[in-house]
Short mmCIF file of all heavy atoms in Angstrom, two decimals:
data_model
loop_
_atom_site.label_atom_id
_atom_site.label_comp_id
_atom_site.label_asym_id
_atom_site.label_seq_id
_atom_site.Cartn_x
_atom_site.Cartn_y
_atom_site.Cartn_z
N ARG A 1 -6.56 -8.01 6.86
CA ARG A 1 -6.69 -9.59 7.10
C ARG A 1 -5.33 -10.20 6.66
O ARG A 1 -4.90 -11.11 7.47
CB ARG A 1 -7.76 -10.04 6.23
CG ARG A 1 -8.18 -11.51 6.56
CD ARG A 1 -9.40 -12.04 5.81
NE ARG A 1 -10.43 -11.10 5.80
CZ ARG A 1 -10.99 -10.72 4.63
NH1 ARG A 1 -10.62 -11.16 3.46
NH2 ARG A 1 -12.00 -9.85 4.59
N ALA A 2 -4.74 -9.80 5.58
CA ALA A 2 -3.53 -10.40 5.14
C ALA A 2 -2.34 -10.07 6.08
O ALA A 2 -1.45 -10.90 6.28
CB ALA A 2 -3.15 -9.92 3.76
N GLY A 3 -2.39 -8.88 6.79
CA GLY A 3 -1.36 -8.60 7.77
C GLY A 3 -1.45 -9.43 9.04
O GLY A 3 -0.49 -9.45 9.85
N GLY A 4 -2.57 -10.06 9.32
CA GLY A 4 -2.66 -10.93 10.43
C GLY A 4 -2.53 -10.32 11.81
O GLY A 4 -2.19 -11.07 12.79
N GLY A 5 -2.85 -9.06 11.93
CA GLY A 5 -2.74 -8.43 13.20
C GLY A 5 -1.28 -7.75 13.46
O GLY A 5 -1.07 -7.15 14.55
N SER A 6 -0.37 -7.96 12.61
CA SER A 6 0.92 -7.46 12.75
C SER A 6 1.03 -6.06 12.02
O SER A 6 0.83 -5.97 10.82
CB SER A 6 1.93 -8.38 12.02
OG SER A 6 3.20 -7.71 11.92
N PRO A 7 1.23 -4.99 12.81
CA PRO A 7 1.28 -3.65 12.13
C PRO A 7 2.44 -3.57 11.09
O PRO A 7 2.22 -3.11 10.00
CB PRO A 7 1.67 -2.72 13.31
CG PRO A 7 1.18 -3.48 14.54
CD PRO A 7 1.40 -4.86 14.23
N ARG A 8 3.61 -4.20 11.28
CA ARG A 8 4.68 -4.17 10.39
C ARG A 8 4.22 -4.88 9.03
O ARG A 8 4.47 -4.31 8.01
CB ARG A 8 5.87 -4.94 10.98
CG ARG A 8 7.13 -4.88 10.00
CD ARG A 8 8.20 -5.84 10.40
NE ARG A 8 7.58 -7.22 10.27
CZ ARG A 8 8.15 -8.29 10.92
NH1 ARG A 8 9.20 -8.11 11.57
NH2 ARG A 8 7.55 -9.44 10.83
N ASP A 9 3.72 -6.08 9.14
CA ASP A 9 3.25 -6.79 7.94
C ASP A 9 2.16 -6.11 7.18
O ASP A 9 2.09 -6.03 5.97
CB ASP A 9 2.72 -8.22 8.33
CG ASP A 9 3.98 -9.08 8.89
OD1 ASP A 9 5.06 -8.63 8.69
OD2 ASP A 9 3.62 -10.15 9.42
N THR A 10 1.15 -5.50 7.94
CA THR A 10 0.02 -4.81 7.38
C THR A 10 0.58 -3.54 6.56
O THR A 10 0.21 -3.27 5.41
CB THR A 10 -0.96 -4.34 8.46
OG1 THR A 10 -1.44 -5.47 9.05
CG2 THR A 10 -2.09 -3.53 7.75
N LEU A 11 1.53 -2.76 7.19
CA LEU A 11 2.02 -1.61 6.58
C LEU A 11 2.90 -1.96 5.35
O LEU A 11 2.88 -1.34 4.38
CB LEU A 11 2.85 -0.70 7.55
CG LEU A 11 1.86 -0.07 8.57
CD1 LEU A 11 2.77 0.69 9.63
CD2 LEU A 11 0.82 0.84 8.00
N SER A 12 3.54 -3.12 5.51
CA SER A 12 4.45 -3.46 4.29
C SER A 12 3.54 -3.87 3.16
O SER A 12 3.93 -3.63 1.99
CB SER A 12 5.25 -4.71 4.86
OG SER A 12 5.96 -5.29 3.76
N LEU A 13 2.48 -4.61 3.32
CA LEU A 13 1.52 -4.96 2.33
C LEU A 13 0.92 -3.75 1.62
O LEU A 13 0.77 -3.66 0.44
CB LEU A 13 0.45 -5.87 2.86
CG LEU A 13 0.83 -7.30 3.24
CD1 LEU A 13 -0.22 -7.99 4.04
CD2 LEU A 13 1.12 -8.02 1.94
N LEU A 14 0.55 -2.81 2.56
CA LEU A 14 -0.06 -1.53 2.05
C LEU A 14 0.92 -0.74 1.14
O LEU A 14 0.60 -0.29 0.08
CB LEU A 14 -0.60 -0.62 3.14
CG LEU A 14 -1.30 0.59 2.76
CD1 LEU A 14 -2.44 0.35 1.88
CD2 LEU A 14 -1.66 1.35 4.06
N ASP A 15 2.11 -0.66 1.58
CA ASP A 15 3.27 -0.11 0.92
C ASP A 15 3.43 -0.67 -0.51
O ASP A 15 3.62 -0.08 -1.44
CB ASP A 15 4.50 -0.09 1.74
CG ASP A 15 5.64 0.75 1.06
OD1 ASP A 15 5.37 1.88 0.68
OD2 ASP A 15 6.84 0.28 1.12
N GLN A 16 3.51 -1.98 -0.54
CA GLN A 16 3.64 -2.68 -1.76
C GLN A 16 2.52 -2.30 -2.76
O GLN A 16 2.76 -2.20 -4.01
CB GLN A 16 3.76 -4.18 -1.55
CG GLN A 16 5.04 -4.62 -0.87
CD GLN A 16 4.96 -6.12 -0.55
OE1 GLN A 16 4.52 -6.89 -1.28
NE2 GLN A 16 5.42 -6.48 0.71
N LEU A 17 1.32 -2.35 -2.25
CA LEU A 17 0.16 -2.00 -3.05
C LEU A 17 0.25 -0.54 -3.60
O LEU A 17 -0.07 -0.36 -4.83
CB LEU A 17 -1.13 -2.17 -2.38
CG LEU A 17 -1.64 -3.64 -2.19
CD1 LEU A 17 -2.86 -3.70 -1.27
CD2 LEU A 17 -2.02 -4.17 -3.51
N ILE A 18 0.57 0.32 -2.82
CA ILE A 18 0.75 1.72 -3.16
C ILE A 18 1.78 1.83 -4.19
O ILE A 18 1.71 2.55 -5.31
CB ILE A 18 1.04 2.63 -1.96
CG1 ILE A 18 -0.24 2.66 -1.10
CG2 ILE A 18 1.58 3.98 -2.40
CD1 ILE A 18 0.00 3.32 0.25
N ALA A 19 2.99 1.16 -3.99
CA ALA A 19 4.07 1.25 -4.92
C ALA A 19 3.75 0.69 -6.30
O ALA A 19 4.22 1.22 -7.31
CB ALA A 19 5.32 0.56 -4.35
N GLY A 20 2.89 -0.30 -6.42
CA GLY A 20 2.51 -0.93 -7.60
C GLY A 20 1.29 -0.30 -8.26
O GLY A 20 0.90 -0.80 -9.26
N SER A 21 0.70 0.70 -7.64
CA SER A 21 -0.65 1.30 -8.17
C SER A 21 -0.36 2.40 -9.18
O SER A 21 0.75 3.01 -9.16
CB SER A 21 -1.38 1.80 -7.01
OG SER A 21 -1.83 0.74 -6.16
N ASP A 22 -1.30 2.69 -9.88
CA ASP A 22 -1.30 3.70 -10.86
C ASP A 22 -1.60 5.02 -10.25
O ASP A 22 -2.23 5.21 -9.23
CB ASP A 22 -2.25 3.42 -12.01
CG ASP A 22 -1.97 2.10 -12.69
OD1 ASP A 22 -0.73 1.82 -12.92
OD2 ASP A 22 -2.91 1.31 -13.12
N ARG A 23 -1.23 6.13 -11.05
CA ARG A 23 -1.56 7.47 -10.64
C ARG A 23 -2.53 8.05 -11.56
O ARG A 23 -2.48 7.80 -12.74
CB ARG A 23 -0.29 8.35 -10.59
CG ARG A 23 0.72 7.89 -9.42
CD ARG A 23 1.97 8.73 -9.46
NE ARG A 23 2.83 8.21 -8.34
CZ ARG A 23 2.72 8.68 -7.17
NH1 ARG A 23 1.89 9.65 -6.79
NH2 ARG A 23 3.60 8.29 -6.24
N ASP A 24 -3.35 8.98 -11.07
CA ASP A 24 -4.31 9.66 -11.99
C ASP A 24 -3.67 10.85 -12.60
O ASP A 24 -2.48 11.17 -12.41
CB ASP A 24 -5.61 9.96 -11.19
CG ASP A 24 -5.43 11.01 -9.98
OD1 ASP A 24 -4.36 11.56 -9.93
OD2 ASP A 24 -6.34 11.12 -9.24
N ALA A 25 -4.48 11.64 -13.22
CA ALA A 25 -4.03 12.81 -14.04
C ALA A 25 -3.35 13.79 -13.09
O ALA A 25 -2.50 14.52 -13.46
CB ALA A 25 -5.14 13.45 -14.81
N ASP A 26 -3.82 13.90 -11.80
CA ASP A 26 -3.37 14.89 -10.89
C ASP A 26 -2.20 14.29 -10.09
O ASP A 26 -1.80 14.81 -8.98
CB ASP A 26 -4.47 15.33 -9.90
CG ASP A 26 -5.54 16.07 -10.73
OD1 ASP A 26 -5.27 16.83 -11.66
OD2 ASP A 26 -6.76 15.91 -10.28
N ASP A 27 -1.65 13.12 -10.43
CA ASP A 27 -0.51 12.46 -9.82
C ASP A 27 -0.89 11.89 -8.39
O ASP A 27 -0.10 11.90 -7.46
CB ASP A 27 0.64 13.36 -9.71
CG ASP A 27 1.93 12.67 -9.59
OD1 ASP A 27 2.11 11.57 -10.15
OD2 ASP A 27 2.80 13.10 -8.83
N HIS A 28 -2.21 11.60 -8.20
CA HIS A 28 -2.60 10.97 -6.96
C HIS A 28 -2.67 9.45 -7.07
O HIS A 28 -3.04 9.01 -8.20
CB HIS A 28 -4.05 11.43 -6.51
CG HIS A 28 -4.07 12.88 -6.15
ND1 HIS A 28 -4.68 13.84 -6.97
CD2 HIS A 28 -3.56 13.54 -5.11
CE1 HIS A 28 -4.49 15.01 -6.43
NE2 HIS A 28 -3.85 14.94 -5.24
#
């Protein structure tokens, strides 16, 4: 929804969330 139909914007938002997320004990 936040990407508004733009693949570039959607993937950029997802990438930012992944980069700022924590990892579990198995490094996932």
Side-chain angles (χ1 to χ4, degrees):
R1 190 175 320 125
S6 166
R8 181 194 64 197
D9 293 347
T10 302
L11 292 177
S12 176
L13 290 165
L14 181 60
D15 187 42
Q16 290 174 38
L17 281 174
I18 292 170
S21 293
D22 299 322
R23 295 180 176 271
D24 63 12
D26 298 324
D27 203 36
H28 294 106

